[in-house]
Each structure stands twice: as structure tokens, then as C-alpha cells.
Amino acid sequence: MRSFHVLPLCALALLCAVLPAQSQINSVAQVPPMGWNSYNCFGSAVHEDEVKANADYMAQKLKPYGWQYIVVDFLWAYDNPPGSNIGSIPQRQLEDGSLVPWLAMDAWGRLLPHVNKFPSAFGGKGFSPLSAYVHGLGLKFGIHIMRGIPRQAVWAKTPVLGAPGITADMIADTSSTCTWNNHMYGLDMRKPGAQQYLNSLLALYAQWEVDFIKVDDLSRPYSTAEVEGYRKAIDACGRPVVFSLSPGATPLEMAAHVKAHGNMWRMADDFWDNWAEVLHMFELGAAWQGKGDAGHWPDCDMLQIGKLSKRGPVGPERYSRFTDNELCTHMTFWSLFRSPLMMGGNLPENRPMDEKLLTNPEVLAVNQTGAHPRQLLKTADVLVWVSDAADGKSYNVGIFNLRDSDASIAVPLAALGVKGKALLRDLWQHKDLGAVKQYRVPVGAHGAVLLKCTPAAP
């Protein structure tokens, strides 16, 4: 039975090794990816039935609006029992050097979904059945992985598929470890077999028909060689795969490199539901503006909307702590900046407000079709961002009230270069505001207004 699973993977890995790799980077994520990620509501302990429930919701209610990715995050190879809310579970080393808890892993040192969490993986099927379920709904399937190679594979000296005579201990950089999760060692990409190991991972993920990988811990410090290694492995696997880099603040000085190799990359540590982090994201957006375009997106992190932390990882189970005004600001800035939109809350528990935020076609069009998002004005109390609308003559204008109280804020038509009158439309309200030379809009405390501004014909 073992050879039944191993031989096709060997053949696939060898095929990937001999065929010339054509970069897949420009074949995916031509617009910011939109989807759901399990981390913010289930931490490390999401189970297969919960992934399916979120996929079902997306297919029924969000897919018509462009939402398509279902991403299983964080420690899917670990056996969290139902109800577990532990975050990053460390491994402990026994006297003989082995590690507990032992993660689900194949003979080639590649982690597998744990069958107690993902029953359909039983019998060596991996994520293939769950991926097929998601694809059957007309959606795309993704997974989170930690960079490098499992420490338990290094201890076990597992062979590297596609690199005869090479074992895991020969390619690991044991000095390169994650500060918050001890399951992995980095890879020394100078060592023979290191690239073949990454190629074998992506060959396995291609067999599972994975469409998206989120690779964690690539930014502490920024691991140039490993980033390039994952890019090569994706290009060699023969399947279009979105490459998302996470977490931590990707160094701004590495903008050209990350853009050359990644499809989306985190600008900061994990974003959570408090106003101070929104203010920080405004600053990061200003720093990263102009660095992204089709196929390459600076990432503001997941949307903190809906039911969060059902099973950890931060704080008690709750609906987002953002006020309605702050939720509007959150969604408006992520859309206007053209960040990937990855929903963090548990979709089946969405409130009407949550669903409204995710299903406004005019707002989502700003994210998917806007161009050149940029900060236009900033004071202590007001922030204005703008992007070019798809029609080539209008502007998408986001006006953000940073005050702790409601305010009436002037639409900065002169700063947009508008002479004479402009036609204004409120995209959240689906309401035309008329042709105006001057206009002030009421904006609630910590709230936002998103307008389409079209210079009127003379």
C-alpha cells in the first residue's frame, strides 16, 4: 500500500526536476485575492467540518461577489481535540532526541493533515478530498505552512524525495528557528537537496490540487534564499499557486525582491480588532503605496469582521470589537488600498452587518478594479485616500474621520484636480449626491465614506 502512494509522487517530483520551470507568478492573483482563512476564528484547531461549513457559506452567499479562496491555516498536522483553544503548541524533546507531540508526517519528511481533525485524509489521501469538496463548490483551496523542514524529520533523518542519498538532517539550518513556534528548522538553501525538498512539498501540494499557500515566518529576518526557493518550487510544480508571505513586517527595503517572488506579502504582524492597529495600518499603507500591482499585493492582513476567536488564538470568543463605524473604515481602507481581502470571522455566524460589508459590489469593485491607490491628504483629524476608477475618468475617494466624535468633512475636489463641478456617488449607500462644486459629508467617529467622484463635463 505504501508504494501505491510513493511511486506517483516520485515520478511527479522527477518530472518537475527535469522540465524547465516557467514562472507562474504572473498567472495568478491578477486582482487582490478574496477569500476566508481559518486562523482568526479557529486558531490552530480548525476541523474539517468547520472548513466545509465556511466553504458552503461562501459558495451560497459570497461567491457571486468574487470571493473564492478557502484557506486552512496553522498546525493542520497537529492533533487538536475538538474544543481545544491552545495557540502555538510547542514540541518537547525526549531523552532520545525525538519530539512530542509527533506531527502527522510522511516518509519523506513532509507534514500531512492529521486524520483526527481531517478525517477524509485517512489512508494517505492528504488534503485531496477536502480540496475536491471546495473545488466542487466552484471555489479554490489553500493551506498555511511554516517555512523550512520539521525538526522531527531532522531527528528521524528522513530521505529527501528527488535527492538520492540526502536526508533531512543534511539540509536543515538548525540555527534558523521561529521565535514563536518550535516545530521547524530553516533550510540551508546552499546545501544539495534543499531545493529538492521544497520541490517535493509543492509536488505533494499540486497532487492535493492546492491553489494557494501561505508560508509563515519568512520575515524574521527576511529569508531571501528561502523565498526564492519556494518561488522555484511553485514554478516547478506545474500548477498555478498563489504565494502568500507571512507574517511579520516585510522590510520595505525588500520591496523589489518580494514583488519579484511573491503574490502577496504581509506588511505587519497579525492585525486584530482594535482602533490603534487601524491607525498603524494607515501608516503602513502610506509607506507601501506604489509597491503593488497586478499579481503582487502588499497585504494588510485578514478582515477582523464577524465572529472571532471561537477557539483562540487572541482573546475570548466574540464578535469583532470594532464599532459599526470602525468596521466600515476597516473594509473601506482594505478595499481602497487594494489589499487582499481574506475574511477572518466564522462565516456561518455572520450578522446582517457583516454580510453587508462583504457583499457591496460597488465597494468590492474599488478593490478589484481600482488603480494607483494613494494617500491624498492627512491631518490630525482627517485622512483621505484615492484611487483611479476603472472608467479612466473618475476617482474612488475614501474620507476617514480619525476623531473620536462625528464630523462634517469637505470633499477635497481641488486636491483631486477637479475644476468646476463633480458628480458624486456614495458607494456604501448606493446613492447619487448630484453635481457639486463644494460638498461636505457627515462622517461618524472613526468612520469612513467612500465616494466615486467624476469631473462633470464643462
Side-chain angles (χ1 to χ4, degrees):
M1 192 68 177
R2 179 181 174 213
S3 62
F4 177 82
H5 294 293
V6 171
L7 287 176
L9 292 175
C10 291
L12 182 57
L14 291 173
L15 183 64
C16 290
V18 298
L19 291 178
Q22 186 70 30
S23 181
Q24 305 277 357
I25 193 166
N26 292 317
S27 68
V28 295
Q30 291 301 290
V31 295
M34 298 168 58
W36 173 83
N37 180 292
S38 63
Y39 180 71
N40 291 149
C41 46
F42 295 107
S44 66
V46 70
H47 285 240
E48 183 169 3
D49 59 334
E50 293 158 336
V51 176
K52 287 182 174 180
N54 277 273
D56 291 343
Y57 181 100
M58 181 174 289
Q60 294 165 13
K61 297 194 174 185
L62 301 184
K63 179 184 170 186
Y65 298 90
W67 299 86
Q68 58 178 334
Y69 289 95
I70 295 292
V71 181
V72 177
D73 204 283
F74 201 45
L75 299 194
W76 36 263
Y78 178 78
D79 181 19
N80 294 78
S84 167
N85 62 0
I86 297 174
S88 181
I89 303 97
Q91 284 184 305
R92 183 168 57 90
Q93 199 162 35
L94 301 179
E95 290 181 3
D96 65 353
S98 61
L99 295 142
V100 291
W102 189 261
L103 308 178
M105 185 178 76
D106 73 4
W108 305 106
R110 301 172 301 182
L111 296 179
L112 303 172
H114 201 289
V115 296
N116 286 349
K117 288 162 72 172
F118 299 93
S120 68
F122 185 79
K125 298 183 184 71
F127 271 126
S128 291
L130 181 55
S131 174
Y133 182 89
V134 171
H135 289 146
L137 296 172
L139 304 173
K140 295 185 177 182
F141 180 70
I143 58 174
H144 167 288
I145 61 173
M146 297 295 296
R147 73 174 174 96
I149 190 165
R151 291 201 307 163
Q152 65 187 46
V154 174
W155 172 81
K157 298 184 180 181
T158 56
V160 175
L161 181 60
I166 303 295
T167 53
D169 56 304
M170 299 167 67
I171 61 175
D173 179 356
T174 58
S175 68
S176 177
T177 57
C178 177
T179 59
W180 50 269
N181 179 273
N182 72 349
H183 296 182
M184 312 290 283
Y185 288 129
L187 285 167
D188 186 340
M189 299 306 298
R190 300 167 298 181
K191 296 288 185 65
Q195 185 62 53
Q196 286 86 345
Y197 177 74
L198 292 183
N199 289 353
S200 77
L201 284 184
L202 267 296
L204 179 63
Y205 303 158
Q207 187 186 56
W208 292 345
E209 297 192 319
V210 168
D211 305 295
F212 181 110
I213 61 166
K214 173 184 173 182
V215 185
D216 215 329
D217 195 43
L218 281 169
S219 300
R220 303 176 186 271
Y222 185 85
S223 183
T224 302
E226 287 180 286
V227 169
E228 293 173 3
Y230 281 101
R231 177 76 265 157
K232 291 175 184 176
I234 292 169
D235 293 340
C237 81
R239 180 178 179 82
V241 176
V242 174
F243 180 19
S244 170
L245 286 73
S246 172
T250 302
L252 192 59
E253 62 269 22
M254 299 306 297
H257 187 271
V258 74
K259 184 175 179 179
H261 296 90
N263 298 113
M264 50 189 276
W265 56 90
R266 287 271 295 278
M267 300 187 296
D269 288 322
D270 291 352
F271 173 85
W272 283 95
D273 48 336
N274 68 76
W275 179 245
E277 294 194 28
V278 177
L279 297 176
H280 181 51
M281 199 58 67
F282 289 150
E283 296 173 357
L284 290 171
W288 278 96
Q289 68 182 26
K291 306 296 186 186
D293 56 28
H296 319 277
W297 307 106
D299 181 9
C300 294
D301 198 14
M302 270 94 79
L303 294 166
Q304 296 289 352
I305 295 172
K307 177 60 76 71
L308 306 173
S309 218
K310 287 178 67 65
R311 208 162 295 141
V314 175
E317 179 175 347
R318 64 189 181 279
Y319 279 101
S320 177
R321 289 178 292 215
F322 287 136
T323 66
D324 286 357
N325 284 346
E326 290 167 349
L327 286 169
C328 181
T329 288
H330 180 18
M331 189 68 186
T332 298
F333 184 73
W334 266 236
S335 297
L336 192 50
F337 183 71
R338 305 203 74 193
S339 172
L341 301 178
M342 302 301 290
M343 175 63 179
N346 186 40
L347 294 175
E349 295 183 81
N350 274 354
R351 303 161 296 181
M353 173 66 176
D354 304 320
E355 189 170 331
K356 179 180 177 181
L357 289 166
L358 303 177
T359 58
N360 185 314
E362 294 185 80
V363 174
L364 293 175
V366 171
N367 177 263
Q368 298 288 286
T369 67
H372 311 299
R374 57 208 179 266
Q375 182 176 288
L376 185 67
L377 295 170
K378 185 179 182 182
T379 70
D381 296 324
V382 176
L383 178 69
V384 179
W385 271 72
V386 62
S387 70
D388 300 329
D391 63 12
K393 61 183 180 180
S394 304
Y395 302 99
N396 306 307
V397 183
I399 300 174
F400 302 92
N401 179 12
L402 309 184
R403 300 178 181 90
D404 296 333
S405 57
D406 298 351
S408 176
I409 300 174
V411 179
L413 298 176
L416 287 169
V418 175
K419 298 178 181 179
K421 292 185 177 181
L423 300 171
L424 297 182
R425 178 171 175 81
D426 187 317
L427 301 186
W428 278 115
Q429 300 297 324
H430 308 297
K431 180 180 179 182
D432 290 323
L433 304 178
V436 298
K437 284 188 176 181
Q438 300 179 34
Y439 197 84
R440 300 184 73 87
V441 290
V443 188
H446 296 184
V449 171
L450 184 58
L451 306 173
K452 183 175 183 179
C453 173
T454 307

